[in-house]
Amino acid sequence: MSSFSDAMIFLREFVKNPRQLGSVIPSSGFLKRRIMRAAGVHQAKTIVELGPGNGGTTRSILAAMPADARLLSIELNEGLYQLSSGISDQRYIAHHGDAHELAAILSQYGLDQPDVVISGIPFSCMEREAGAALIERIHGLLQPGGRFVAYQVNPRVDQLNTFFKADNARSVAWEWLSIPPLRVWRWQKQTAA
Ligand SMILES: C[S@@+](CC[C@H](N)C(=O)[O-])C[C@H]1O[C@@H](n2cnc3c(N)ncnc32)[C@H](O)[C@@H]1O
């Protein structure tokens, strides 16, 4: 399918459910490159993508990650799941479901604890308690030294995140070459002492 028709499906799903998608168009190439760098995808072993949408970010992860790495994407929206599950790569698993079920989904596929979690899901559109619980779960599941990267317009994800405690655990950068411009947050779990 062409990227134009993928973008049209994304727009259609946004019109049906704006709070779930959080954005009217898929991520720009500039944003995708910033996300890949922030997450250190090129040296990851097990990557989880929450909210792959039409699969644009998924393709960027697959292009950047090592040949022996694994990628699991979790997409709630049925129409968009159909797009992300159409990507054919032996290293890739597409799951139709809810990011909140992350632990059960990882064990369903027998995957190791991730060293990278990348999230485009709109934390600002979920209940505060649910958002905090999801971040706590991500922190708990990440390997020591693992990275959690979230790209958002709204700073709610940062406000809810009290789980990555080391002083140097957090960084944030704006991506202006994106519609709309948004921030890419990166947190790193402490390595074992
Ligand atoms: C802003 S879009 C990002 C799409 C794509 N990754 C990109 O950057 O172009 C957010 C995506 O998160 C999905 N989403 C929202 N809540 C979710 C949840 N609880 N679990 C899994 N996916 C979710 C939406 O359906 C949507 O595809």
Side-chain angles (χ1 to χ4, degrees):
M1 195 175 289
S2 75
S3 55
F4 179 75
S5 58
D6 282 11
M8 288 298 106
I9 293 171
F10 196 89
L11 177 61
R12 182 192 74 198
E13 296 302 322
F14 175 81
V15 170
K16 283 199 268 184
N17 202 340
R19 286 176 62 79
Q20 185 186 86
L21 267 67
S23 171
V24 69
I25 56 170
S27 293
S28 71
F30 295 98
L31 176 59
K32 287 187 274 195
R33 283 190 285 279
R34 187 179 289 281
I35 295 165
M36 299 311 124
R37 282 198 304 274
V41 163
H42 63 286
Q43 56 187 14
K45 288 282 174 228
T46 305
I47 304 167
V48 173
E49 181 183 23
L50 306 178
N54 67 352
T57 38
T58 315
R59 287 190 173 81
S60 293
I61 296 168
L62 287 165
M65 73 191 216
D68 61 350
R70 304 293 307 278
L71 170 61
L72 167 72
S73 74
I74 304 174
E75 174 56 58
L76 191 59
N77 181 286
E78 166 78 39
L80 294 174
Y81 164 73
Q82 295 301 336
L83 294 182
S84 59
S85 65
I87 298 172
S88 171
D89 189 305
Q90 287 179 15
R91 302 167 298 168
Y92 174 55
I93 299 166
H95 181 86
H96 181 214
D98 191 330
H100 292 90
E101 307 298 327
L102 176 57
I105 299 166
L106 275 168
S107 75
Q108 177 180 336
Y109 295 105
L111 289 170
D112 296 334
Q113 282 182 266
D115 48 0
V116 170
V117 175
I118 295 174
S119 172
I121 66 178
F123 279 81
S124 54
C125 297
M126 49 175 110
E127 297 294 330
R128 296 185 75 86
E129 294 72 22
L134 176 54
I135 299 168
E136 184 174 19
R137 211 161 290 140
I138 291 167
H139 178 264
L141 286 166
L142 272 174
Q143 289 180 21
R147 283 86 63 200
F148 170 41
V149 169
Y151 49 103
Q152 311 270 287
V153 175
N154 189 297
R156 169 83 69 89
V157 66
D158 191 37
Q159 294 159 2
L160 293 176
N161 194 343
T162 57
F163 304 99
F164 292 74
K165 295 192 190 300
D167 289 345
N168 58 355
R170 171 188 175 280
S171 65
V172 57
W174 277 95
E175 179 51 69
W176 297 102
L177 298 174
S178 162
I179 304 172
L182 44 67
R183 277 171 281 199
V184 178
W185 280 274
R186 173 194 195 268
W187 293 271
Q188 183 159 22
K189 185 168 172 173
Q190 273 181 298
T191 48

